[in-house]
Amino acid sequence: MFTVPRLLFLCFAFIALGSAVRMVVAHQVFHAAFWLILSFFGIAALYVMLEAPFMTGLQLFLYIGGVAVLNIMAIMVTRQMMHPRRTANDPLTAALMAFSTFSFILWMILQLPFPNEPQVPAPVGNLPVIGELLVDVNGYALPFELVSLLLFVVLLSVLYLAKER
Amino acid sequence: MIPLSWYLMLAAALFCVGLYGMLAERHLITMLMSLELMLNAVILNMVAFARYLEPQALHGKTFALFIYALAAADAVLGLALTVLVWRNRDTVAIDKINTLKG
């Protein structure tokens, strides 16, 4: 039942989920940012277990190196570092909604016969194939170009927004 | 090996923790952090499905890459708007940003 990979999975899942919960209930915004980073680390470890090392690298570079650091910088700029945070009037309703959503998804997962083992062999050296698929006209060339256009527009709009007027 | 449903349950739990943070929060930056947690749960689902059910795991990972790009875009734009709101109103609490309230 509890083999080594399963125990490893449970360990990383505990890190990811536990620090996510701590992020949501943290008393200070700055602490919440650090718990979020720990949660991202747990998810990156799970990508290693899914034999997707490229996704692990992306998770570390993009989320921890990019988004989390950007969050911390935004907290510093808005001087919210040591302010105690206030929650909504009624966190109980929010908890109830989140819990009911979770039980609905859990019910749906338990209805379906998901496999216990991977049905396909582990992908070997498929990163060049993904790269070709991204720029293939019959693949994802159009969404790829749209995403690059989106990132360009975001860059311009953030520059415009951040300008002192 | 690990059953696929374990990954799906973990992703559902992460998504719902993010949902709780989104609903119970009054602070723009932590709302954005909860949003990133929800997006992470979705990406974990994509990668798990790609590993378990798809030969070569191509399309699931490609979708995950697109979600990464969109998540980066919305984080950058959201934080820029947060800083802008703070600059104009000296607060980032969403219950104080109520000019449009009738």
Side-chain angles (χ1 to χ4, degrees):
Chain A
M1 177 63 195
F2 285 109
T3 54
V4 174
R6 288 188 178 191
L7 284 177
L8 273 179
F9 172 86
L10 288 178
C11 178
F12 293 140
F14 177 75
I15 292 175
L17 195 58
S19 47
V21 172
R22 288 296 299 270
M23 181 208 101
V24 184
V25 299
H27 288 300
Q28 288 168 354
V29 181
F30 207 53
H31 295 174
F34 282 117
W35 283 114
L36 185 70
I37 291 178
L38 189 59
S39 181
F40 286 161
F41 264 117
I43 296 174
L46 287 175
Y47 289 151
V48 176
M49 300 203 65
L50 282 169
E51 284 156 86
F54 180 61
M55 303 302 293
T56 311
L58 267 188
Q59 178 85 7
L60 293 181
F61 280 124
L62 227 143
Y63 265 100
I64 299 174
V67 172
V69 171
L70 203 63
N71 267 322
I72 291 175
M73 281 166 73
I75 291 169
M76 287 175 169
V77 167
T78 54
R79 288 175 212 163
Q80 298 289 324
M81 275 171 74
M82 286 304 148
H83 285 192
R85 78 205 263 195
R86 306 170 306 129
T87 49
N89 290 332
D90 205 359
L92 210 63
T93 314
L96 192 68
M97 282 189 71
F99 184 74
S100 53
T101 312
F102 176 66
S103 19
F104 178 63
I105 299 175
L106 197 65
W107 176 74
M108 280 201 297
I109 290 171
L110 293 177
Q111 294 291 307
L112 291 170
F114 285 116
N116 281 338
E117 300 281 325
Q119 303 292 296
V120 292
V124 179
N126 64 341
L127 204 52
V129 190
I130 291 181
E132 280 172 17
L133 191 68
L134 274 178
V135 290
D136 189 5
V137 178
N138 296 318
Y140 294 96
L142 182 65
F144 184 72
E145 294 299 326
L146 280 177
V147 163
S148 53
L149 182 69
L150 174 87
L151 288 178
F152 177 65
V153 171
V154 165
L155 183 68
L156 281 187
S157 57
V158 167
L159 280 179
Y160 178 72
L161 285 177
K163 199 173 63 177
E164 289 279 353
R165 279 185 289 274
Chain B
M1 283 293 282
I2 305 140
L4 174 57
S5 50
W6 289 19
Y7 282 105
L8 301 186
M9 286 178 204
L10 173 67
L14 282 176
F15 184 85
C16 291
V17 170
L19 185 65
Y20 169 78
M22 201 73 189
L23 290 173
E25 201 52 58
R26 280 194 173 177
H27 193 290
L28 266 177
I29 296 174
T30 36
M31 282 179 81
L32 278 167
M33 277 154 50
S34 305
L35 187 71
E36 280 145 26
L37 198 64
M38 290 163 85
L39 284 167
N40 250 296
V42 175
I43 297 171
L44 182 63
N45 253 359
M46 292 274 178
V47 178
F49 272 119
R51 171 69 186 93
Y52 276 71
L53 300 175
E54 195 195 342
Q56 281 293 301
L58 290 178
H59 298 270
K61 279 187 192 169
T62 315
F63 268 73
L65 291 185
F66 284 127
I67 301 176
Y68 268 127
L70 296 180
D74 87 52
V76 168
L77 207 48
L79 290 175
L81 286 173
T82 306
V83 172
L84 201 66
V85 166
W86 183 80
R87 198 189 282 163
N88 283 335
R89 308 191 60 115
D90 271 340
T91 178
V92 288
I94 53 169
D95 52 337
K96 300 263 180 66
I97 310 168
N98 54 5
T99 312
L100 280 178
K101 195 173 177 180

